[in-house]
Amino acid sequence: GHNHAAHKPQHESVLLASNDCTDKGRRCIAHCLVSFVEGDTELAECASKVHEMQTICTAFSDLVASNSEYQKDYAKICIAACEDCEKICREHDEHFECKDCADACQALVKAIKKSFA
């Protein structure tokens, strides 16, 4: 006997952007792992930053989905992780996985700034 619509995430665009970012990050790390298996470790720093971003964005996504009181504070951490990830992925944007990850990070930062300004 209560309104379930009130439980909907308040920042839907941020939630979608965060989930896209972690998905693109997953694909980027998979690409990095293939490179590692082939003996190329050039993408090691990229994989490390993407892993950090994924961990932070996954937690942030959970906070946004539940309309947590901590989402605004955590948004700052997510922005920092995404900006770092984007920077390193842009160094390897000849790989579409890195470019897609960087673009998704950039989009998430924009969505956060718009929603939590």
Side-chain angles (χ1 to χ4, degrees):
H2 63 275
N3 181 2
H4 286 279
H7 298 259
K8 183 178 178 184
Q10 297 168 1
H11 302 283
E12 185 77 23
S13 63
V14 173
L15 180 60
L16 293 172
S18 182
N19 291 338
D20 186 52
C21 201
T22 56
D23 177 58
K24 296 297 184 344
R26 188 174 299 110
R27 295 165 194 249
C28 185
I29 288 178
H31 173 72
C32 292
L33 291 173
V34 169
S35 293
F36 299 162
V37 168
E38 293 173 348
D40 182 1
T41 59
E42 178 186 350
L43 299 175
E45 187 178 2
C46 186
S48 178
K49 284 296 175 194
V50 173
H51 176 71
E52 288 177 352
M53 174 278 294
Q54 277 191 295
T55 301
I56 290 166
C57 287
T58 298
F60 181 62
S61 178
D62 290 343
L63 295 173
V64 173
S66 65
N67 297 316
S68 169
E69 66 182 279
Y70 302 109
Q71 64 184 326
K72 188 171 183 175
D73 291 330
Y74 206 87
K76 296 172 190 171
I77 297 167
C78 192
I79 287 171
C82 284
E83 287 175 343
D84 288 348
C85 184
E86 179 188 2
K87 182 180 176 185
I88 195 70
C89 281
R90 292 269 181 236
E91 293 177 15
H92 307 284
D93 67 0
E94 69 274 11
H95 305 278
F96 76 86
E97 297 89 351
C98 293
K99 181 184 180 317
D100 286 352
C101 186
D103 291 346
C105 283
Q106 182 181 47
L108 178 53
V109 168
K110 286 181 183 176
I112 292 170
K113 288 180 177 180
K114 183 177 179 183
S115 287
F116 292 101

